Short mmCIF file of all heavy atoms in Angstrom, two decimals:
data_model
loop_
_atom_site.label_atom_id
_atom_site.label_comp_id
_atom_site.label_asym_id
_atom_site.label_seq_id
_atom_site.Cartn_x
_atom_site.Cartn_y
_atom_site.Cartn_z
N ASP A 340 111.94 91.21 107.31
CA ASP A 340 111.78 89.93 106.61
C ASP A 340 110.31 89.51 106.59
O ASP A 340 109.78 89.06 105.58
CB ASP A 340 112.60 88.82 107.29
CG ASP A 340 114.07 88.93 106.90
OD1 ASP A 340 114.37 89.70 105.96
OD2 ASP A 340 114.90 88.26 107.53
N GLU A 341 109.66 89.66 107.74
CA GLU A 341 108.24 89.30 107.81
C GLU A 341 107.44 90.19 106.86
O GLU A 341 106.55 89.72 106.15
CB GLU A 341 107.75 89.46 109.25
CG GLU A 341 106.33 88.97 109.41
CD GLU A 341 105.80 89.10 110.83
OE1 GLU A 341 106.59 89.30 111.77
OE2 GLU A 341 104.56 89.02 110.97
N TYR A 342 107.80 91.47 106.86
CA TYR A 342 107.10 92.42 105.99
C TYR A 342 107.23 92.00 104.52
O TYR A 342 106.26 91.97 103.77
CB TYR A 342 107.64 93.84 106.21
CG TYR A 342 106.89 94.88 105.44
CD1 TYR A 342 105.86 95.60 106.04
CD2 TYR A 342 107.18 95.14 104.10
CE1 TYR A 342 105.14 96.55 105.33
CE2 TYR A 342 106.46 96.08 103.39
CZ TYR A 342 105.45 96.79 104.00
OH TYR A 342 104.74 97.72 103.29
N LYS A 343 108.47 91.66 104.14
CA LYS A 343 108.70 91.30 102.72
C LYS A 343 107.85 90.09 102.33
O LYS A 343 107.38 90.00 101.20
CB LYS A 343 110.18 90.98 102.49
CG LYS A 343 111.08 92.20 102.50
CD LYS A 343 112.50 91.75 102.24
CE LYS A 343 113.52 92.77 102.59
NZ LYS A 343 114.88 92.26 102.54
N SER A 344 107.69 89.15 103.27
CA SER A 344 106.92 87.93 102.95
C SER A 344 105.44 88.25 102.71
O SER A 344 104.72 87.44 102.13
CB SER A 344 107.08 86.89 104.05
OG SER A 344 106.34 87.29 105.19
N LYS A 345 104.99 89.41 103.18
CA LYS A 345 103.57 89.76 103.03
C LYS A 345 103.37 90.93 102.07
O LYS A 345 102.26 91.40 101.87
CB LYS A 345 103.01 90.14 104.39
CG LYS A 345 102.99 88.92 105.29
CD LYS A 345 102.64 89.17 106.70
CE LYS A 345 102.66 87.82 107.40
NZ LYS A 345 102.81 87.94 108.83
N CYS A 346 104.47 91.37 101.48
CA CYS A 346 104.43 92.60 100.68
C CYS A 346 103.84 92.33 99.29
O CYS A 346 104.27 91.41 98.58
CB CYS A 346 105.86 93.15 100.56
SG CYS A 346 105.98 94.66 99.66
N TRP A 347 102.88 93.14 98.91
CA TRP A 347 102.22 93.06 97.60
C TRP A 347 103.25 93.30 96.49
O TRP A 347 104.05 94.22 96.58
CB TRP A 347 101.12 94.13 97.58
CG TRP A 347 100.46 94.40 96.28
CD1 TRP A 347 99.45 93.67 95.71
CD2 TRP A 347 100.70 95.51 95.41
NE1 TRP A 347 99.06 94.25 94.54
CE2 TRP A 347 99.80 95.38 94.33
CE3 TRP A 347 101.57 96.59 95.44
CZ2 TRP A 347 99.76 96.30 93.28
CZ3 TRP A 347 101.55 97.51 94.41
CH2 TRP A 347 100.65 97.36 93.34
N ASN A 348 103.24 92.44 95.50
CA ASN A 348 104.09 92.56 94.31
C ASN A 348 105.59 92.58 94.60
O ASN A 348 106.36 93.19 93.85
CB ASN A 348 103.71 93.82 93.51
CG ASN A 348 102.59 93.50 92.52
OD1 ASN A 348 102.25 92.33 92.33
ND2 ASN A 348 102.01 94.50 91.93
N TYR A 349 106.00 91.92 95.68
CA TYR A 349 107.43 91.86 95.99
C TYR A 349 108.14 91.07 94.88
O TYR A 349 107.69 90.01 94.48
CB TYR A 349 107.65 91.21 97.35
CG TYR A 349 109.04 91.43 97.86
CD1 TYR A 349 109.45 92.68 98.27
CD2 TYR A 349 109.96 90.40 97.89
CE1 TYR A 349 110.74 92.92 98.70
CE2 TYR A 349 111.26 90.61 98.32
CZ TYR A 349 111.63 91.88 98.72
OH TYR A 349 112.91 92.11 99.13
N ASN A 350 109.23 91.63 94.38
CA ASN A 350 109.97 91.03 93.25
C ASN A 350 109.18 91.00 91.95
O ASN A 350 109.45 90.19 91.07
CB ASN A 350 110.46 89.61 93.58
CG ASN A 350 111.79 89.67 94.31
OD1 ASN A 350 112.55 90.62 94.13
ND2 ASN A 350 112.07 88.69 95.13
N LYS A 351 108.17 91.83 91.87
CA LYS A 351 107.38 91.89 90.63
C LYS A 351 107.42 93.30 90.07
O LYS A 351 107.81 94.25 90.75
CB LYS A 351 105.94 91.50 90.92
CG LYS A 351 105.79 90.05 91.30
CD LYS A 351 104.34 89.63 91.22
CE LYS A 351 104.21 88.19 91.69
NZ LYS A 351 103.07 87.99 92.51
N THR A 352 106.93 93.44 88.84
CA THR A 352 106.90 94.76 88.20
C THR A 352 105.74 95.58 88.77
O THR A 352 104.63 95.08 88.91
CB THR A 352 106.72 94.59 86.68
OG1 THR A 352 107.82 93.81 86.20
CG2 THR A 352 106.70 95.93 85.96
N VAL A 353 106.04 96.82 89.13
CA VAL A 353 105.00 97.71 89.65
C VAL A 353 105.04 99.02 88.86
O VAL A 353 106.09 99.45 88.38
CB VAL A 353 105.22 98.03 91.15
CG1 VAL A 353 104.88 96.85 92.02
CG2 VAL A 353 106.65 98.52 91.45
N LYS A 354 103.86 99.64 88.77
CA LYS A 354 103.78 100.99 88.20
C LYS A 354 103.68 101.93 89.38
O LYS A 354 102.92 101.67 90.32
CB LYS A 354 102.50 101.11 87.38
CG LYS A 354 102.70 101.05 85.92
CD LYS A 354 101.44 101.55 85.26
CE LYS A 354 101.50 101.29 83.78
NZ LYS A 354 100.21 101.53 83.17
N PHE A 355 104.45 102.99 89.39
CA PHE A 355 104.39 103.91 90.52
C PHE A 355 104.57 105.34 90.07
O PHE A 355 105.00 105.59 88.94
CB PHE A 355 105.43 103.53 91.59
CG PHE A 355 106.86 103.60 91.09
CD1 PHE A 355 107.66 104.70 91.41
CD2 PHE A 355 107.41 102.59 90.32
CE1 PHE A 355 108.97 104.78 90.97
CE2 PHE A 355 108.72 102.66 89.86
CZ PHE A 355 109.51 103.75 90.18
N MET A 356 104.20 106.24 90.97
CA MET A 356 104.30 107.64 90.62
C MET A 356 105.24 108.33 91.60
O MET A 356 105.14 108.13 92.81
CB MET A 356 102.92 108.28 90.76
CG MET A 356 102.89 109.61 90.16
SD MET A 356 101.42 109.79 89.22
CE MET A 356 100.68 111.07 90.15
N THR A 357 106.20 109.07 91.09
CA THR A 357 107.09 109.86 91.94
C THR A 357 107.41 111.15 91.19
O THR A 357 107.59 111.14 89.97
CB THR A 357 108.36 109.07 92.34
OG1 THR A 357 109.11 109.86 93.24
CG2 THR A 357 109.23 108.65 91.17
N ASN A 358 107.46 112.27 91.92
CA ASN A 358 107.69 113.58 91.29
C ASN A 358 106.78 113.80 90.09
O ASN A 358 107.25 114.27 89.04
CB ASN A 358 109.15 113.71 90.80
CG ASN A 358 110.08 113.88 91.96
OD1 ASN A 358 109.69 114.44 92.97
ND2 ASN A 358 111.31 113.41 91.79
N ASP A 359 105.51 113.42 90.21
CA ASP A 359 104.52 113.60 89.13
C ASP A 359 104.82 112.79 87.87
O ASP A 359 104.26 113.06 86.82
CB ASP A 359 104.37 115.09 88.74
CG ASP A 359 103.69 115.86 89.84
OD1 ASP A 359 102.90 115.23 90.58
OD2 ASP A 359 103.98 117.07 89.98
N LYS A 360 105.75 111.83 87.96
CA LYS A 360 106.04 110.99 86.78
C LYS A 360 105.58 109.56 87.06
O LYS A 360 105.78 109.06 88.18
CB LYS A 360 107.55 110.95 86.52
CG LYS A 360 108.02 112.06 85.60
CD LYS A 360 109.44 111.82 85.11
CE LYS A 360 110.44 112.26 86.15
NZ LYS A 360 111.81 112.04 85.91
N VAL A 361 104.99 108.92 86.07
CA VAL A 361 104.62 107.51 86.23
C VAL A 361 105.77 106.67 85.70
O VAL A 361 106.22 106.85 84.58
CB VAL A 361 103.31 107.18 85.48
CG1 VAL A 361 102.96 105.70 85.63
CG2 VAL A 361 102.17 108.04 85.99
N LEU A 362 106.28 105.77 86.53
CA LEU A 362 107.40 104.91 86.13
C LEU A 362 107.04 103.45 86.35
O LEU A 362 106.06 103.14 87.05
CB LEU A 362 108.64 105.24 86.98
CG LEU A 362 109.21 106.65 86.91
CD1 LEU A 362 110.33 106.83 87.92
CD2 LEU A 362 109.75 106.92 85.50
N GLU A 363 107.83 102.58 85.79
CA GLU A 363 107.63 101.15 85.99
C GLU A 363 108.95 100.54 86.43
O GLU A 363 110.01 100.98 85.96
CB GLU A 363 107.19 100.54 84.66
CG GLU A 363 106.28 99.36 84.85
CD GLU A 363 105.71 98.90 83.52
OE1 GLU A 363 106.42 98.14 82.84
OE2 GLU A 363 104.60 99.31 83.19
N GLY A 364 108.90 99.59 87.32
CA GLY A 364 110.14 98.95 87.75
C GLY A 364 109.83 97.72 88.60
O GLY A 364 108.67 97.39 88.80
N ILE A 365 110.90 97.08 89.06
CA ILE A 365 110.69 95.88 89.89
C ILE A 365 110.92 96.23 91.35
O ILE A 365 111.94 96.84 91.69
CB ILE A 365 111.62 94.74 89.44
CG1 ILE A 365 111.33 94.40 87.98
CG2 ILE A 365 111.42 93.49 90.31
CD1 ILE A 365 112.27 93.40 87.38
N LEU A 366 109.93 95.86 92.17
CA LEU A 366 110.05 96.14 93.61
C LEU A 366 111.04 95.12 94.18
O LEU A 366 110.69 93.95 94.37
CB LEU A 366 108.65 95.99 94.23
CG LEU A 366 108.36 96.53 95.61
CD1 LEU A 366 106.89 96.39 95.95
CD2 LEU A 366 109.23 96.02 96.70
N ILE A 367 112.28 95.53 94.41
CA ILE A 367 113.31 94.53 94.73
C ILE A 367 113.64 94.43 96.22
O ILE A 367 114.22 93.43 96.65
CB ILE A 367 114.62 94.73 93.93
CG1 ILE A 367 115.16 96.15 94.14
CG2 ILE A 367 114.45 94.39 92.47
CD1 ILE A 367 116.61 96.29 93.70
N ASP A 368 113.33 95.49 96.99
CA ASP A 368 113.74 95.39 98.40
C ASP A 368 113.02 96.43 99.25
O ASP A 368 112.46 97.41 98.73
CB ASP A 368 115.26 95.62 98.50
CG ASP A 368 115.89 94.88 99.67
OD1 ASP A 368 115.15 94.25 100.45
OD2 ASP A 368 117.12 94.93 99.81
N ILE A 369 113.06 96.19 100.57
CA ILE A 369 112.64 97.19 101.55
C ILE A 369 113.88 97.42 102.42
O ILE A 369 114.46 96.46 102.94
CB ILE A 369 111.47 96.66 102.43
CG1 ILE A 369 110.27 96.18 101.58
CG2 ILE A 369 111.05 97.71 103.45
CD1 ILE A 369 109.48 97.26 100.88
N SER A 370 114.28 98.68 102.54
CA SER A 370 115.56 98.95 103.22
C SER A 370 115.43 98.84 104.73
O SER A 370 114.32 98.78 105.27
CB SER A 370 116.04 100.36 102.88
OG SER A 370 115.33 101.30 103.68
N LYS A 371 116.56 98.89 105.42
CA LYS A 371 116.53 98.78 106.88
C LYS A 371 115.90 100.03 107.50
O LYS A 371 115.56 100.03 108.67
CB LYS A 371 117.93 98.52 107.43
CG LYS A 371 118.95 99.58 107.14
CD LYS A 371 120.27 99.24 107.82
CE LYS A 371 121.34 100.27 107.58
NZ LYS A 371 120.96 101.68 107.51
N ASP A 372 115.75 101.09 106.71
CA ASP A 372 115.03 102.27 107.21
C ASP A 372 113.59 102.32 106.71
O ASP A 372 112.95 103.37 106.72
CB ASP A 372 115.76 103.55 106.78
CG ASP A 372 117.14 103.61 107.41
OD1 ASP A 372 117.24 103.31 108.61
OD2 ASP A 372 118.10 103.92 106.69
N PHE A 373 113.11 101.19 106.21
CA PHE A 373 111.74 101.03 105.73
C PHE A 373 111.44 101.90 104.49
O PHE A 373 110.33 102.36 104.29
CB PHE A 373 110.71 101.29 106.85
CG PHE A 373 109.36 100.71 106.53
CD1 PHE A 373 109.23 99.37 106.21
CD2 PHE A 373 108.23 101.50 106.52
CE1 PHE A 373 108.00 98.82 105.88
CE2 PHE A 373 106.99 100.98 106.18
CZ PHE A 373 106.88 99.64 105.87
N GLU A 374 112.48 102.10 103.66
CA GLU A 374 112.22 102.72 102.36
C GLU A 374 111.99 101.59 101.35
O GLU A 374 112.46 100.47 101.55
CB GLU A 374 113.43 103.53 101.89
CG GLU A 374 113.74 104.72 102.76
CD GLU A 374 115.24 104.94 102.88
OE1 GLU A 374 115.99 103.97 102.99
OE2 GLU A 374 115.65 106.10 102.85
N ILE A 375 111.29 101.94 100.26
CA ILE A 375 111.06 100.95 99.22
C ILE A 375 112.18 101.10 98.19
O ILE A 375 112.62 102.22 97.90
CB ILE A 375 109.67 101.15 98.58
CG1 ILE A 375 109.28 99.95 97.74
CG2 ILE A 375 109.58 102.42 97.76
CD1 ILE A 375 107.81 99.92 97.39
N ILE A 376 112.66 99.96 97.66
CA ILE A 376 113.71 100.04 96.64
C ILE A 376 113.16 99.41 95.35
O ILE A 376 112.73 98.25 95.35
CB ILE A 376 115.01 99.34 97.10
CG1 ILE A 376 115.48 99.99 98.42
CG2 ILE A 376 116.10 99.45 96.03
CD1 ILE A 376 116.68 99.36 99.05
N ILE A 377 113.17 100.22 94.30
CA ILE A 377 112.62 99.76 93.02
C ILE A 377 113.70 99.89 91.96
O ILE A 377 114.41 100.90 91.90
CB ILE A 377 111.39 100.62 92.63
CG1 ILE A 377 110.28 100.43 93.68
CG2 ILE A 377 110.87 100.24 91.24
CD1 ILE A 377 109.03 101.21 93.42
N ASN A 378 113.84 98.83 91.19
CA ASN A 378 114.79 98.88 90.08
C ASN A 378 114.04 99.32 88.82
O ASN A 378 113.20 98.59 88.31
CB ASN A 378 115.46 97.51 89.88
CG ASN A 378 116.52 97.59 88.81
OD1 ASN A 378 116.22 97.56 87.62
ND2 ASN A 378 117.76 97.73 89.24
N ALA A 379 114.34 100.55 88.38
CA ALA A 379 113.69 101.07 87.17
C ALA A 379 114.78 101.57 86.23
O ALA A 379 115.70 102.28 86.67
CB ALA A 379 112.75 102.22 87.54
N ASN A 380 114.69 101.21 84.98
CA ASN A 380 115.70 101.57 83.97
C ASN A 380 117.12 101.23 84.44
O ASN A 380 118.04 102.04 84.35
CB ASN A 380 115.63 103.07 83.63
CG ASN A 380 114.28 103.43 83.10
OD1 ASN A 380 113.66 102.64 82.39
ND2 ASN A 380 113.79 104.61 83.47
N ASN A 381 117.25 100.05 85.04
CA ASN A 381 118.54 99.55 85.53
C ASN A 381 119.17 100.40 86.63
O ASN A 381 120.38 100.37 86.84
CB ASN A 381 119.55 99.38 84.38
CG ASN A 381 119.15 98.25 83.49
OD1 ASN A 381 118.64 97.24 83.99
ND2 ASN A 381 119.30 98.41 82.19
N LYS A 382 118.36 101.18 87.30
CA LYS A 382 118.85 101.95 88.44
C LYS A 382 118.01 101.61 89.65
O LYS A 382 116.79 101.46 89.53
CB LYS A 382 118.69 103.45 88.16
CG LYS A 382 119.93 104.12 87.71
CD LYS A 382 119.80 105.61 87.96
CE LYS A 382 120.12 106.40 86.71
NZ LYS A 382 119.40 107.62 86.57
N ASN A 383 118.65 101.51 90.84
CA ASN A 383 117.86 101.29 92.04
C ASN A 383 117.42 102.63 92.63
O ASN A 383 118.25 103.49 92.91
CB ASN A 383 118.69 100.53 93.09
CG ASN A 383 118.85 99.08 92.69
OD1 ASN A 383 118.24 98.62 91.72
ND2 ASN A 383 119.68 98.36 93.43
#
Side-chain angles (χ1 to χ4, degrees):
D340 281 349
E341 186 180 345
Y342 185 96
K343 287 181 196 171
S344 73
K345 293 172 179 159
C346 182
W347 170 81
N348 273 350
Y349 194 70
N350 274 333
K351 292 195 183 138
T352 301
V353 287
K354 257 195 189 169
F355 61 101
M356 192 136 116
T357 184
N358 287 330
D359 290 332
K360 270 193 279 176
V361 179
L362 299 174
E363 211 172 84
I365 300 174
L366 195 174
I367 56 164
D368 209 356
I369 305 289
S370 79
K371 61 176 181 36
D372 297 315
F373 199 55
E374 295 144 320
I375 194 165
I376 303 176
I377 297 180
N378 185 280
N380 301 324
N381 291 323
K382 260 201 231 147
N383 287 352

